[in-house]
Amino acid sequence: MAEPRSVDMADLRPRLQRALDFAADQVKATTERTPDYFPIYSVDGQWQHGGELWTDWCAGFHAGMMWILAQAKGSQEWRSLAEHYSSLLEHKQHDRDVHDLGFIFLSTYLPWYNLTKNEHLHEILITAGRTLALRFIPKGQYLRSFVAPESLFIDIMMNVPIIFYAARETNDQALFDLAVAHCRTTERTIVRANGGTAHEGIFDLPTGDFLRQTTHQGLSGDSDWSRGLAWSLYGFGTVYTYTNDPSDLAVAERNADHFIDRCPENMVPPWDFDVPDGPDRLDDSSAGAIAASGLLNLAKLTKSATKSERYQNAALTILDTLCTDRYVAWSTPGWQGVLKHGVYHFHKKLGVDESVMWGEYFFLEAVAKGLGVPLANSPSGL
Ligand code: GLY
């Protein structure tokens, strides 16, 4: 266990800027090579490969990167691309096959609406929130995952904020209560006392009783899948900005402290903290990137000065590690992504030691925050 160190911003800042510029080059090249295509994970560094998707949940990340670049660079060209790619996703507001409508709309239509106040965009966000809420299983008090009605995923903590958003914008108390119920069920069933998380919880459908913790992408039902833990620390932190409920902040802090405690000194985690030393203990840079961005949020949300410093230091240490030749593909000719060494689904051998779109997006988001770029999709107060 290593305590995160403070990072020399004079050294890091130029590498953050270089990473942002490199991300702009890579995203632009992808739009030129494969117009209107939304990547998910790479194979040997190439985005378009026809491999299994498992689930189609990532389109918002490619378009979302364009919104970040439009804001970071103040560029009309990026803004037009961001609007075009986002408009291709409008129909997903009615998509009942995925639990990922927060990922898709909060990184695209939320900044678009916040920058324009166009009522049509507002309605799309609200519809997406209401569509996601249709996944609620009343007996178990949770939003079901894409795999089965009895399944709850930790990832959904990143998506439930769009229900809170829709509830707030329409003053819908029942919708708000549904979202709160999902968070409390998640906390009770798949967040552990030590701050670790399981990927999935399984319920008995006839009674709604919780049965067991399990996993798809982690090592095992009782392990710490590092990306799930990153989703939880970021997600509960965002939820707190809607609820003001100290329980949400407390869960996010418990997750954050557990994540930091289990990280190596460079703060970039293996894909599961419980993978034994050996060839399978590969980094998941995407978990590091998500955690970096979520920790920067928590550094502002926490009421503790000590924790704030700890989270800020951990986030900047992650960025300090990631903004190097090992992780950023700026020294790997022909690699189409930005961030190398992500892992999508180890067991299915999908996107293992590759670029993954959520790693790309949250890395760019964390880099932009590190550079002080104000982002129009940041939750209030962040
Ligand atoms: N299940 C979404 C993820 O790969 O994090």
Side-chain angles (χ1 to χ4, degrees), residues 122-148:
H122 195 218
E123 281 163 16
I124 291 168
L125 283 161
I126 290 164
T127 302
R130 291 197 180 283
T131 301
L132 184 61
L134 296 173
R135 306 189 76 79
F136 194 67
I137 303 287
K139 274 235 162 99
Q141 297 283 293
Y142 60 92
L143 296 158
R144 56 157 292 188
S145 83
F146 84 96
V147 297

Side-chain angles (χ1 to χ4, degrees), residues 54-55 57 99 103 153 155 199 217 225 227 231 344 358:
W54 190 40
T55 166
W57 59 290
H99 57 241
F103 282 134
F153 272 19
D155 324 21
H199 183 191
Q217 289 161 280
W225 176 47
R227 191 160 67 254
W231 291 144
Y344 179 17
W358 52 97

Side-chain angles (χ1 to χ4, degrees), residues 198-239:
H199 183 191
E200 186 184 36
I202 299 293
F203 291 75
D204 180 54
L205 280 177
T207 61
D209 290 347
F210 176 68
L211 296 177
R212 64 181 178 279
Q213 298 181 352
T214 180
T215 195
H216 291 264
Q217 289 161 280
L219 184 68
S220 61
D222 60 359
S223 71
D224 281 323
W225 176 47
S226 60
R227 191 160 67 254
L229 190 48
W231 291 144
S232 191
L233 77 85
Y234 193 135
F236 272 101
T238 305
V239 164

Side-chain angles (χ1 to χ4, degrees), residues 321-340:
T321 303
L322 293 182
C323 290
T324 55
D325 291 352
R326 170 170 162 73
Y327 291 98
V328 180
W330 50 35
S331 302
T332 312
W335 194 274
Q336 295 175 356
V338 177
L339 192 64
K340 299 191 292 181

Side-chain angles (χ1 to χ4, degrees), residues 48-365:
Q48 204 173 26
H49 45 72
E52 181 193 337
L53 304 181
W54 190 40
T55 166
D56 186 4
W57 59 290
C58 292
F61 299 135
H62 191 42
M65 290 177 83
M66 298 172 197
W67 281 105
I68 294 172
L69 290 166
Q71 293 166 89
K73 294 192 170 287
S75 138
Q76 190 49 49
E77 189 189 357
W78 277 114
R79 177 65 182 264
S80 301
L81 271 175
E83 291 190 9
H84 171 71
Y85 274 78
S86 299
S87 67
L88 298 177
L89 305 179
E90 181 173 337
H91 65 285
K92 288 189 179 282
Q93 67 187 298
H94 304 293
D95 187 349
R96 298 193 58 180
D97 290 337
V98 297
H99 57 241
D100 302 296
L101 297 182
F103 282 134
I104 294 168
F105 286 93
L106 295 174
S107 54
T108 55
Y109 280 75
L110 185 58
W112 196 358
Y113 170 66
N114 283 342
L115 291 167
T116 59
K117 298 296 171 196
N118 175 316
E119 193 46 37
H120 178 61
L121 305 172
H122 195 218
E123 281 163 16
I124 291 168
L125 283 161
I126 290 164
T127 302
R130 291 197 180 283
T131 301
L132 184 61
L134 296 173
R135 306 189 76 79
F136 194 67
I137 303 287
K139 274 235 162 99
Q141 297 283 293
Y142 60 92
L143 296 158
R144 56 157 292 188
S145 83
F146 84 96
V147 297
E150 61 270 27
S151 159
L152 156 70
F153 272 19
I154 195 68
D155 324 21
I156 298 173
M157 284 311 302
M158 290 294 283
N159 293 289
V160 71
I162 198 163
I163 302 182
F164 281 110
Y165 179 84
R168 186 186 71 195
E169 298 298 301
T170 58
N171 284 318
D172 186 333
Q173 186 64 41
L175 197 58
F176 181 87
D177 292 345
L178 176 157
V180 167
H182 173 81
C183 298
R184 294 285 71 80
T185 303
T186 302
E187 177 186 1
R188 181 174 57 81
T189 58
I190 59 173
V191 179
R192 305 184 184 118
N194 67 2
T197 52
H199 183 191
E200 186 184 36
I202 299 293
F203 291 75
D204 180 54
L205 280 177
T207 61
D209 290 347
F210 176 68
L211 296 177
R212 64 181 178 279
Q213 298 181 352
T214 180
T215 195
H216 291 264
Q217 289 161 280
L219 184 68
S220 61
D222 60 359
S223 71
D224 281 323
W225 176 47
S226 60
R227 191 160 67 254
L229 190 48
W231 291 144
S232 191
L233 77 85
Y234 193 135
F236 272 101
T238 305
V239 164
Y240 173 68
T241 67
Y242 287 98
T243 62
N244 264 318
D245 181 342
S247 327
D248 293 316
L249 183 59
V251 177
E253 292 186 4
R254 208 145 42 96
N255 295 148
D257 287 327
H258 190 66
F259 183 94
I260 294 168
D261 288 348
R262 295 212 68 184
C263 267
E265 203 172 334
N266 71 11
M267 292 288 144
V268 174
W271 62 273
D272 190 298
F273 284 112
D274 293 294
V275 178
D277 284 338
D280 286 353
R281 195 173 164 91
L282 298 168
D283 290 348
D284 180 8
S285 58
S286 78
I290 296 156
S293 193
L295 287 165
L296 288 173
N297 291 351
L298 284 180
K300 293 186 181 161
L301 293 171
T302 181
K303 310 294 180 222
S304 153
T306 310
K307 282 185 188 289
S308 176
E309 189 182 351
R310 184 173 206 234
Y311 300 158
Q312 177 88 3
N313 284 345
L316 294 179
T317 302
I318 294 170
L319 288 174
D320 194 40
T321 303
L322 293 182
C323 290
T324 55
D325 291 352
R326 170 170 162 73
Y327 291 98
V328 180
W330 50 35
S331 302
T332 312
W335 194 274
Q336 295 175 356
V338 177
L339 192 64
K340 299 191 292 181
H341 305 303
V343 174
Y344 179 17
H345 198 310
F346 187 85
H347 309 295
K348 282 178 168 282
K349 301 293 172 224
L350 303 177
V352 176
D353 204 17
E354 292 286 344
S355 288
V356 293
M357 267 322 292
W358 52 97
E360 308 281 281
Y361 175 82
F362 287 101
F363 177 57
L364 181 60
E365 184 181 87

